[in-house]
């Protein structure tokens, strides 16, 4: 899209749905008055610093805290002995101790938490904690970890989850068969706002935390269980979130801070430093994907066989569902009669992996799309044409689960619209600006050996959790004489949920002004802002609650005017009966009108235990990416010249924010394709700074052309689909494909390294 | 090593037009001293000079405040996003979807205003280069770049009209 088209044309009609309404959180973010979690402070607060394991695998022999404790300004040092329960954290599998319990299993695992009068003092004292370790051999190869006589990383064993999907009978044979092994890097969410929170003791023996998290209630549950408190005694208040992308789904500092606040009777805050942040939160799983795929001579897909191994790191985090996602999307959005997928998530002594935008489907997409390209080459069929012949259509069976595909699956349209988007100017013979060349302002390229390649990929993922996990979201809408307020626990990570919820409520209430209260655990459960679910889930809950309130206002107004509710219309400042306005003040008086509703989407089911077949998802989001990449084939340097995308958005609630998600996700996709990998050597992270872990800058990003396909999903509120993840699904695979066409190199892994391209 | 922290010294600065006293040891960066004094408008994502989120103007020069020792700023005039933010740029950023989580935004505003001070008309490449030191993980930068270009054009039109009118 041209950058100007980001500004939406003024919408017609009164409904705010489909309009790029302004976001209330944006002005304070621009003038610096917005309060992020690390901006929060209260008088008399103490500061915490985490002592972490320097070893990927080591026995904790002795923890000497006396020197650190006697440092001036140090108030308390917490260790495992101070934890009142044996409970573990982990919201799928509770397997991670709050502090190393006997054996450290990854670099950065917390050992102790130092509480001092200032953050600097706490850090200095943390360095004085004497830890004696007996180092053990780290197990860092996930394939090795899955062999039967491997050493065990954890008492639970090394297989976090194994999943086999089987669909269709018949031998895995075909006219043409290709094989490929693909791998993906350990991408960090690299949100800019570091982990930070404040915990305060409460008079009832409980604790209040002010923090940045994707899911207040899941944090609450875990904190309460480790502290041995009732859930009601753990109160969470959301502060500003400096980005998340999946990296704030797990416990990092929360339990330590809560313990510290209770142990000292004082408020305690901590803020991680960047190098620590890189070690502390789970990241995108490195994956190895081994594929065999067959087709008839005419290009009809016959079978897909995939073996997927994810490196989950030392603790389970969300590895189980991420593996589910990797497996269920391993055959892409295609008709494939015979599918065999085996996936395993392994424990290793590498950094813990969990949720990141795209959640396993990114890795699967790179695997299947790369394999489809191999097949196209072998068949001599254009790769886009081959996809067009095999994509799913409404009513088909989903290839990995057998689930019936609903009416909203506009794959052919995605292909057509994406490929029709304008291409950038041809490679300049005499480039005028070095930014347009591989290597950028490094001026490394003379331009002579630059080749251009075009690549194409399709992506698919479900919205919402799936696989039988209970889905619900609760919201409360209150109308007073001043307008409406929404109470919801949904996390605003920057994606715009606050304005989306206000938009939805306002639409149901005749355009009434709507405010969204700060999110706390006092609000009902909303589930996490993840899985492209929050606008759908909490949007639906808000819509129901607002509709109930609206119905009561209408009835009330009708009663006063002696007409039927059908004769009444809600308007921003009250209700209109004919020409007569009944003001909100008159209507509501001193009794606010309140409705709390819980929304539950259509149910999903766990797949069959042996074949994985079943209705495991609510519905799917589809996306197409075309990448144009210039490569200096002598130097192995790549520059993305353009990314074009068509995205199935159901209904764009706020087109500006939808485009924002598209641009942001593509940029992260460029990062994974070209640069982003948290490198480890024998379990030690080597690039945990922004000096060495390179996220795309303004000089690296490519122009984006985007087409939104609006084909409403019948199950979703307003027909909207999730928009957070698709942009990250297939942009990486399309870039890799473009590099292949430019260079002829096989590009078996992302991020692509220069030596992968030199032949 | 000595366990005691070196005692804090007072640093007198003019912060966004107001006389302000910071406390700092020789190890304290200007970023930390500002934030410890409650001036949290300036954020810091790396404290290593890599992200630009901590950008402020010190005596007329835009710098990463995480790399500048607070003590050397004694007597300096420091301007943060609070001084730089102007309605036209704020509106343009909001309208172009240039703000998601907002953590990078204060630094972007400072860097953008520094770029906009250029007497020459800005080009897209020029803006990219000016902002290449400011990481944003959310937006993909296009909205930011478009907003800065729009403001540059609008301000030029306005001053052109003033000159001719
Ligand atoms: S905090 Fe100063 S450059 Fe990142
Ligand atoms: S808006 Fe989140 S880092 Fe820029």
């Amino acid at each position: 899209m041209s950058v100007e088209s980001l500004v939406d044309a003024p919408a017609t009609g009164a409904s705010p749905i489909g309009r790029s309404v302004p976001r209330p959180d944006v002005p304070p973010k621009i003038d610096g008055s917005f309060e992020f979690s690390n901006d929060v402070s209260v008088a008399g607060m103490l500061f915490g610093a985490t002592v972490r394991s320097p070893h990927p695998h080591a026995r904790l022999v002795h923890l000497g805290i006396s020197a650190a404790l006697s440092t001036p300004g140090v108030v308390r040092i917490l260790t495992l002995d101070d934890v009142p329960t044996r409970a573990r954290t982990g919201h799928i599998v509770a397997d991670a101790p709050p502090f190393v319990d006997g054996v450290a299993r990854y670099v950065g695992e917390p050992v102790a938490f130092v509480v001092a009068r200032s953050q600097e003092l706490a850090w200095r004292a943390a360095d004085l904690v004497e830890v004696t370790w007996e180092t053990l051999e780290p197990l860092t190869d996930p394939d090795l970890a899955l062999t039967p006589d491997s050493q065990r990383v954890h008492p639970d064993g090394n297989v976090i989850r194994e999943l086999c999907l089987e669909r269709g009978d018949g031998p895995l044979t075909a006219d043409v068969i290709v094989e490929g092994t693909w791998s993906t890097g350990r991408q960090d969410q690299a949100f800019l706002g570091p982990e930070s929170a404040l915990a305060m003791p409460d008079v009832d023996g409980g604790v209040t935390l002010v923090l940045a998290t994707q899911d207040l209630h899941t944090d609450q549950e875990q904190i309460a269980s480790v502290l041995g408190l009732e859930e009601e005694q753990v109160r969470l208040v959301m502060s500003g979130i400096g980005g998340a992308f999946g990296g704030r789904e797990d416990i990092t500092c929360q339990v330590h801070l809560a313990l510290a606040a209770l142990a000292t009777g004082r408020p305690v805050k901590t803020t991680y430093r960047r190098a620590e942040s890189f070690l502390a939160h789970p990241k995108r799983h490195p994956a190895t994907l081994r594929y065999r795929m067959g087709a008839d001579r005419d290009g009809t897909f016959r079978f897909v066989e995939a073996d997927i191994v994810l490196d989950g790191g030392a603790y389970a985090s969300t590895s189980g569902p991420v593996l589910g996602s990797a497996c269920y999307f391993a055959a892409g959005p295609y008709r494939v009669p015979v599918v065999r997928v085996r996936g395993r998530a392994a424990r290793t002594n590498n950094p813990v992996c969990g949720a990141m935008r795209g959640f396993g489907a990114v890795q699967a997409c790179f695997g299947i799309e790369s394999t489809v390209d191999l097949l196209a080459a072998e068949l001599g069929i254009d790769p886009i044409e081959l996809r067009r012949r095999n994509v799913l259509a409404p009513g088909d069976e989903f290839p990995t689960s057998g689930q019936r595909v609903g009416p909203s699956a506009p794959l052919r349209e995605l292909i057509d619209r994406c490929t029709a988007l304008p291409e950038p100017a041809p490679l300049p013979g005499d480039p005028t600006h070095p930014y347009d060349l591989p290597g950028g302002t490094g001026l490394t390229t003379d331009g002579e050996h630059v080749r251009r390649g075009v690549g194409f990929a399709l992506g698919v993922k479900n919205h919402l959790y799936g696989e039988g996990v209970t889905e619900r979201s609760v919201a409360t809408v209150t109308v007073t004489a001043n307008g409406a307020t929404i109470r919801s626990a949904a996390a605003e990570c920057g994606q715009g949920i606050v304005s989306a919820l206000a938009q939805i409520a306002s639409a149901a209430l005749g355009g009434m002004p709507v405010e969204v209260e700060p999110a706390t655990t006092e609000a009902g459960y909303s589930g996490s802002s993840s899985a492209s679910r929050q606008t759908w889930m909490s949007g639906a809950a808000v819509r129901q609650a607002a509709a109930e309130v609206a119905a009561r206002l209408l009835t009330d107004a009708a009663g006063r005017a002696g007409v039927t509710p059908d004769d009444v219309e809600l308007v921003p400042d009250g209700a209109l009966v004919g020409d007569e306005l009944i003001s909100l003040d008159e209507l509501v008086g001193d009794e606010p009108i309140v409705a709390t509703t819980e929304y539950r989407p259509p149910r999903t089911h766990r797949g069959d235990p042996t074949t994985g077949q079943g209705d495991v998802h609510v519905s799917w989001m589809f996306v197409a990416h075309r990448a144009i990449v210039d490569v200096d084939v002598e130097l192995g340097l790549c520059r993305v010249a353009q990314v074009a995308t068509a995205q199935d958005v159901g209904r764009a609630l706020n087109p500006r924010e939808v485009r924002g998600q598209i641009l942001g996700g593509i940029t992260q996709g460029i990062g994974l394709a070209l640069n982003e990998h948290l490198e480890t050597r024998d379990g030690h992270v080597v690039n945990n700074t922004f000096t060495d872990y390179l996220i795309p800058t303004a000089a690296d990003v490519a122009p984006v052309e985007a087409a939104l396909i609006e084909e409403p999903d019948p199950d979703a509120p307003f027909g909207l689909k999730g928009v957070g993840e698709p942009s990250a699904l297939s942009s990486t695979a399309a870039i890799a494909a473009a590099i292949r066409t430019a260079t002829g190199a096989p590009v078996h892994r992302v991020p692509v390294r220069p030596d992968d391209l030199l032949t | 090593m000595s366990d005691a922290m070196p005692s804090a010294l007072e640093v007198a600065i003019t912060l966004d037009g107001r006389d302000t006293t910071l406390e700092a040891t020789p190890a304290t960066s200007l970023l930390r001293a500002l934030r410890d004094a409650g001036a949290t408008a300036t954020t810091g994502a790396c404290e290593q000079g890599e992200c630009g989120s901590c950008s402020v103007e010190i005596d007329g020069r835009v710098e990463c405040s995480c790399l500048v020792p607070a003590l050397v700023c004694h007597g300096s005039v420091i301007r943060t996003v609070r001084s730089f933010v102007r309605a036209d740029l704020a509106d343009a950023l909001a309208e172009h979807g240039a703000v998601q989580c907002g953590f990078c935004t204060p630094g972007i505003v400072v860097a953008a205003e520094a770029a906009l001070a250029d007497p020459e008309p800005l080009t897209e490449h020029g803006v990219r280069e000016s902002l290449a030191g400011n990481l944003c993980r959310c937006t993909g930068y296009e909205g930011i770049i478009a907003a800065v270009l729009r403001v540059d054009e609008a301000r030029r039109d306005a001053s052109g009209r003033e000159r001719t009118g």
Side-chain angles (χ1 to χ4, degrees):
Chain A
M1 85 200 83
S2 80
V3 280
E4 273 308 320
S5 71
L6 283 167
V7 183
D8 192 44
T12 50
S15 173
I17 301 302
R19 286 175 52 197
S20 294
V21 299
R23 284 171 48 171
D25 55 324
V26 162
K29 284 174 173 175
I30 293 174
D31 70 21
S33 60
F34 187 81
E35 191 171 63
F36 290 101
S37 54
N38 63 331
D39 296 338
V40 176
S41 72
V42 291
M45 67 183 175
L46 301 171
F47 294 83
T50 314
V51 180
R52 294 178 184 276
S53 168
H55 303 295
H57 195 199
R59 192 175 316 285
L60 177 58
V61 178
H62 180 71
L63 191 52
I65 61 170
S66 50
L69 199 52
S70 60
T71 311
V74 173
V75 175
R76 185 76 196 249
I77 298 179
L78 297 158
T79 68
L80 193 63
D81 293 340
D82 298 296
V83 181
T85 70
R86 300 279 295 161
R88 300 290 188 247
T89 61
H91 58 285
I92 312 285
V93 180
D95 66 348
F99 295 110
V100 167
D101 186 3
V103 176
R105 298 190 173 87
Y106 69 96
V107 170
E109 185 164 1
V111 185
F113 193 67
V114 177
V115 184
R117 283 205 312 270
S118 79
Q119 186 69 70
E120 314 269 341
L121 282 169
W123 281 329
R124 286 163 60 99
D127 290 340
L128 297 176
V129 172
E130 288 161 7
V131 193
T132 312
W133 298 99
E134 179 199 337
T135 58
L136 304 168
E137 194 59 37
L139 178 57
T140 58
D141 178 344
D143 281 326
L144 202 60
L146 292 169
T147 55
D149 20 319
S150 160
Q151 61 169 323
R152 287 156 81 92
V153 170
H154 190 274
D156 293 357
N158 293 348
V159 183
I160 301 172
R161 185 181 183 191
E162 172 160 7
L163 178 63
C164 291
L165 307 180
E166 276 183 35
R167 185 160 162 270
D169 299 325
L172 304 183
T173 56
D175 295 346
V176 176
I177 294 176
V178 294
E179 291 184 25
T181 297
W182 317 99
S183 63
T184 59
R186 184 184 290 111
Q187 188 174 27
D188 195 281
Q189 298 83 355
F191 43 70
L192 285 202
E195 287 88 347
S196 183
L198 169 72
M200 296 171 285
D202 288 329
V203 282
D204 66 348
V207 62
T208 296
L209 280 96
V210 184
L211 79 174
T213 173
Q214 287 175 248
D215 187 345
L216 287 169
H217 289 95
T218 304
D219 280 11
Q220 177 190 39
E221 196 184 309
Q222 295 178 80
I223 298 165
S225 95
V226 177
L227 267 63
L229 296 173
E230 298 300 321
E231 280 178 23
E232 305 78 61
Q233 291 177 286
V234 178
R235 299 162 191 91
L236 270 56
V237 177
M238 192 76 83
S239 65
I241 304 179
F245 316 114
R248 296 189 207 265
E249 287 192 26
D250 295 76
I251 294 294
T252 53
C253 58
Q254 296 92 320
V255 167
H256 301 153
L257 285 168
L259 279 169
L262 293 181
T264 61
R266 305 261 300 269
V268 185
K269 177 181 176 180
T270 192
T271 304
Y272 288 177
R273 290 169 289 189
R274 180 55 51 182
E276 186 179 17
S277 171
F278 269 112
L279 302 179
H281 56 256
K283 27 210 117 266
R284 192 188 296 294
H285 292 75
T288 303
L289 310 108
R290 299 173 180 91
Y291 271 83
R292 273 180 83 234
M293 185 170 182
D296 294 341
R297 281 257 160 256
D298 68 359
T300 308
F301 292 169
R302 295 263 53 107
F303 75 89
V304 168
E305 186 183 18
D307 180 84
I308 298 172
V309 174
L310 303 182
D311 181 353
Y315 294 102
S317 180
T318 42
S319 279
V322 170
L323 182 83
S325 185
C327 290
Y328 279 111
F329 302 110
Y334 302 111
R335 291 179 178 146
V336 189
V338 181
V339 172
R340 299 283 181 273
V341 178
R342 180 194 194 196
R344 287 166 297 166
R347 276 186 214 272
T348 64
N349 295 115
N350 288 325
V352 180
C353 288
M356 184 175 171
R357 196 177 205 167
F359 206 73
V362 171
Q363 294 93 322
C365 177
F366 179 60
I368 181 68
E369 292 301 282
S370 299
T371 307
V372 167
D373 281 348
L374 278 186
L375 198 52
E378 198 64 29
L379 289 161
I381 300 176
D382 173 74
I384 295 170
E385 176 55 26
L386 183 62
R387 286 173 169 84
R388 201 191 313 271
R389 286 184 203 172
N390 287 283
V391 284
L392 292 169
D396 283 345
E397 288 179 0
F398 202 80
T400 48
S401 64
Q403 185 173 352
R404 189 72 60 193
V405 175
S408 176
L411 280 147
R412 287 185 182 214
E413 196 181 348
L414 288 174
I415 295 174
D416 293 342
R417 292 283 299 279
C418 184
T419 51
L421 288 167
E423 293 193 10
L427 253 191
D430 178 21
T432 51
H433 201 285
Y435 273 13
D436 297 332
L437 284 176
T441 43
L443 295 176
T444 31
T445 301
D446 58 13
E448 216 177 288
H449 304 284
V450 177
R451 307 274 177 277
R452 172 163 286 184
V454 183
F456 187 84
L458 293 173
V460 54
K461 191 186 170 289
N462 63 309
H463 335 69
L464 284 51
Y465 297 142
E467 288 200 72
V469 173
T470 308
E471 268 282 13
R472 61 193 186 91
S473 176
V474 176
T476 302
V477 172
T478 304
V479 171
T480 68
N482 300 322
T485 54
I486 296 171
R487 175 177 280 201
S488 159
E492 169 63 72
C493 312
Q495 80 279 37
I497 188 67
V498 163
S499 79
L501 298 183
Q503 229 177 330
I504 289 167
S506 184
L509 291 164
M512 193 182 291
V514 178
E515 283 204 13
V516 180
E517 291 178 13
T520 71
T521 41
E522 302 290 301
Y525 173 90
S526 68
S528 68
S529 285
S530 69
S532 303
R533 66 182 285 284
Q534 199 61 279
T535 307
W536 175 323
M537 292 294 304
S538 292
V542 163
R543 187 169 72 155
Q544 283 178 15
E548 275 186 28
V549 170
R552 289 192 349 230
L553 288 170
L554 289 173
T555 312
D556 205 38
R560 279 162 194 266
V563 296
T564 68
D566 287 347
D567 300 321
V568 186
E569 188 193 344
L570 290 182
V571 291
D573 44 0
L576 213 51
V577 184
D579 292 343
E580 195 195 330
L581 177 76
I582 307 177
S583 75
L584 214 46
D585 211 2
E586 275 173 79
L587 260 182
V588 183
D590 302 334
E591 271 299 294
I593 301 180
V594 187
T596 297
T597 59
E598 178 179 273
Y599 168 75
R600 287 178 185 252
R603 283 196 55 174
T604 62
H605 303 273
R606 188 105 176 154
D608 177 272
T610 49
T611 65
Q613 300 301 288
D615 291 351
V616 294
H617 298 134
V618 174
S619 69
W620 301 273
M621 321 172 270
F622 304 97
V623 65
H625 286 98
R626 180 192 71 198
I628 298 183
V629 182
D630 296 334
V631 185
D632 185 311
V633 292
E634 291 261 287
L635 299 172
L637 294 174
C638 302
R639 163 148 201 102
V640 181
Q642 187 209 49
V643 178
T645 181
Q647 186 168 320
D648 155 42
V649 301
R651 174 94 191 270
L653 196 60
N654 179 326
R656 184 191 58 236
E657 298 307 318
V658 169
R659 286 169 196 272
Q661 290 297 310
I662 289 175
L663 289 165
I666 286 174
T667 305
Q668 291 178 1
I670 294 175
L672 179 60
L674 300 182
N675 278 316
E676 293 187 36
H677 172 53
L678 197 70
E679 191 94 47
T680 51
R681 264 178 228 131
D682 299 327
H684 293 270
V685 178
V686 301
N687 58 340
N688 52 332
T689 69
F690 280 148
T691 314
D692 301 311
Y693 185 93
L694 301 177
I695 69 173
T697 71
D700 301 317
V701 292
V704 170
E705 291 283 342
L708 307 187
I709 314 289
E710 296 194 80
E711 202 171 276
D713 187 306
D715 287 326
F718 309 106
L720 64 84
K721 291 196 174 191
V723 292
E725 292 174 292
S727 52
L729 291 175
S730 43
S731 42
T732 301
I735 291 166
I739 296 170
R740 280 184 207 114
T741 53
T743 61
V747 188
H748 285 297
R749 61 176 179 176
V750 284
V752 180
R753 279 73 156 181
D755 18 329
D756 295 347
L757 307 181
L758 306 176
T759 37
Chain B
M1 67 177 279
S2 152
D3 286 349
M5 289 286 276
S7 53
L9 300 171
E10 294 199 338
V11 183
I13 58 167
T14 307
L15 177 63
D16 295 323
R18 292 182 27 195
D19 291 342
T20 306
T21 305
L22 307 178
E23 287 196 355
T25 72
T28 314
S29 69
L30 175 61
L31 173 66
R32 285 209 161 262
L34 287 172
R35 294 182 55 81
D36 287 350
T40 54
T42 304
T43 63
C46 75
E47 301 196 49
Q48 267 194 319
E50 291 289 349
C51 75
S53 62
C54 65
S55 301
V56 301
E57 189 193 75
I58 306 171
D59 297 327
R61 279 180 50 148
V62 172
E63 311 230 22
C64 290
S65 60
C66 69
L67 294 181
V68 179
L71 293 186
V72 309
C73 298
H74 189 70
S76 290
V77 175
I78 291 166
R79 297 168 74 219
T80 73
V81 63
R82 309 294 280 168
S83 297
F84 278 100
V85 68
R86 288 171 61 176
D88 56 351
L89 181 61
D91 289 349
L93 289 169
E95 283 164 23
H96 285 83
V99 181
Q100 286 184 28
C101 84
F103 202 85
C104 68
T105 312
I108 297 268
V109 168
V110 173
E113 284 295 354
L116 286 162
D118 193 323
E120 294 300 313
L122 297 183
T123 63
E124 187 188 324
H125 283 123
V127 175
R128 283 184 189 278
E129 188 160 0
S130 308
L131 296 179
N134 291 76
L135 297 179
C136 173
R137 189 54 158 168
C138 302
T139 67
Y141 305 101
E142 292 300 340
I144 300 170
I145 293 161
V148 174
L149 288 171
R150 189 182 95 182
V151 169
D152 185 56
E153 212 181 298
R155 286 188 191 170
R156 259 164 232 294
D157 285 354
S159 61
R161 269 200 296 279
E162 273 159 31
R163 273 200 301 275
T164 52

